[in-house]
Amino acid sequence: MNLTNQQLLQHQAFINGEWVKAEKSFEVKNPYDNTSLGEVADLGAEETKLAIEAAENAFIPWKNLTASKRSRILKKWCALQHKHKKDLATILTLEQGKPYAEALGEIVYGASFVEWFAEEAKRVYGDVIPGHGNDKRITIIKQAIGVVGAITPWNFPSAMITRKVAPALAAGCTVVLKPSELTPFSALALAKLAEEAGIPPGVFNVVTSAKASIIGQEFCSNPKVKKISFTGSTRVGKILLSQAAEGVKKVSLELGGNAPFIVFDDASIEEAVAGCVDSKFRNAGQTCICTNRIFVQEGIYDAFISKLIPKVKALKTGSGMEVDTKVGPLINMAALESTKALLNDALSKGAKMVEGGNHLEGLLFEPTILSEAQANMDIFKKEIFGPIAAVYKFQTEDEVIRLANDTNYGLAAYFYGRDYARIWRVAEGLEYGMVGINTTLISSSLSPFGGVKESGFGREGSKYGISEYLNIKSMVWKI
Ligand code: SIN
């Protein structure tokens, strides 16, 4: 891997401020060409216990620093992420596959959480509440929870880390992070920069492992861990939630989605098509908030599809390192097989292929449009996580709200239209944690990110994000 700062490419885990070897290692591959990017330490439960212990030992001194001091250290970490953004983006693209411009965007997006929470560290305000008697006063303080076990996914190898670690550290917590085994290099590069920024030993630890379930189990069963924050599949989220129940740990889960994208007949079709392409094909369709079901009102259905076709045809597939690539490879064979299976199921149930539909070389799949999609197809129910745009026709507002909500998921939803009364009704009627109205650009450190139903609970980013890492303590005074 050719980087300006070769130090950012680390192969060992990071525990208690030290780079730790392991007896075993696992290989990380570039999903574009299947070449090896190197080996990374393969840790197990024992090393994870040590990391948790280090985090516990670091907790009291870290939380006892003033908020301004923690804030200054976080700001330094943020500045280093900006300084090294090109290298960080290169690492990200090589191990994850997304186009370099998207990777660069992710690094800047990720750093924005560090900047935001560096500021929020200073705003952990308490309350004074009128007492329940003349001689009573009630005060509220908020205190750092303790050691956090964070588990992050491969689709955002950098930003999902900063979105958890920055608020945790800002609150005064310490963290043991388990990044995805498919994309550990981005996490280790962030740890290298954390070290350089002066984050003290034990405050931020990275446990790399090919055995995710063993690390997750240790996080959930170890009494020293007080909080679990997970981004990933609903299936794994449910396992972690049940394991964490034993120790009644505080949990945040950012899980799968099945985002509806609704276009009403008074929408700007051009804007809707542009938003649809961005939100459907970003990261080759592999984000939890990617458009999954496109509902277009019958009067504009044909016009929408005919404007969508050329935009999708123009999306160049290829290596994320080539400047004109817009859609990179899928992450692995399982993702490819699942994309093909969803397509075949839809075609067998009457969907029409209007664009794409082919598996290209390696893990590249052609950006695809299906028309005449129906609710009985698997593609309606499952998170696609691939570059297939399935377009459904609807007639009325009530019908489309019912269809949009007909899923166990509830992460993001989008709709386009102009009638302001309808905008309110639809936005209120959608059972989702986040709703984009005439936009799909909903991700920002300023806005709460999270879902309802089986998409999880807890919020990341915004003024709410830090509270996931704080306990409320009430103090009742007799005066
Ligand atoms: C995700 O897919 O989980 C994160 C997407 C985002 O933050 O925009």
Side-chain angles (χ1 to χ4, degrees), residues 44-159:
E46 281 317 303
E47 295 96 334
T48 307
K49 271 194 188 71
L50 292 177
I52 293 168
E53 211 168 287
E56 195 190 47
N57 292 338
F59 172 57
I60 304 280
W62 177 250
K63 94 171 165 68
N64 284 348
L65 291 182
T66 61
S68 325
K69 177 82 180 140
R70 288 199 302 274
S71 174
R72 276 199 297 279
I73 296 174
L74 284 172
K75 280 188 182 163
K76 196 150 175 219
W77 193 32
C78 173
L80 288 168
Q81 288 167 35
H82 280 287
K83 180 173 168 201
H84 296 283
K85 65 181 177 188
K86 290 188 180 163
D87 278 346
L88 294 174
T90 300
I91 295 172
L92 203 163
T93 291
L94 291 177
E95 67 178 353
Q96 200 274 335
K98 68 177 63 174
Y100 181 79
E102 269 189 50
L104 208 51
E106 179 178 337
I107 300 302
V108 173
Y109 172 54
S112 75
F113 289 101
V114 187
E115 183 185 17
W116 172 262
F117 286 110
E119 292 298 331
E120 287 298 281
K122 296 179 273 182
R123 299 191 189 106
V124 178
Y125 300 136
D127 278 312
V128 180
I129 299 175
H132 44 296
N134 280 342
D135 61 345
K136 299 286 187 320
R137 300 290 183 270
I138 303 171
T139 51
I140 304 294
I141 59 167
K142 294 179 186 163
Q143 295 179 299
I145 284 184
V147 176
V148 176
I151 305 177
T152 50
W154 52 265
N155 62 342
F156 284 84
S158 198

Side-chain angles (χ1 to χ4, degrees), residues 399-419:
E399 175 196 6
V400 80
I401 291 178
R402 186 182 49 73
L403 282 167
N405 289 340
D406 184 12
T407 170
N408 291 339
Y409 293 109
L411 192 57
Y414 311 96
F415 69 94
Y416 282 67
R418 293 278 155 216
D419 177 327

Side-chain angles (χ1 to χ4, degrees), residues 109 113 153 155-156 159-160 163 231 254-255 282 286-290 385 411 443 449:
Y109 172 54
F113 289 101
N155 62 342
F156 284 84
M160 295 306 100
R163 192 154 88 180
T231 295
E254 199 261 273
L255 308 176
R282 178 184 177 215
Q286 304 172 108
T287 89
C288 304
I289 59 168
C290 269
F385 252 58
L411 192 57
S443 300
F449 192 105

Side-chain angles (χ1 to χ4, degrees), residues 71 85 115 133 143 175 224 270 314 321 325 360-361 365 412:
S71 174
K85 65 181 177 188
E115 183 185 17
Q143 295 179 299
V175 177
K224 296 186 168 114
E270 280 73 21
M321 293 310 286
T325 292
L360 307 168
E361 55 175 327
F365 198 89

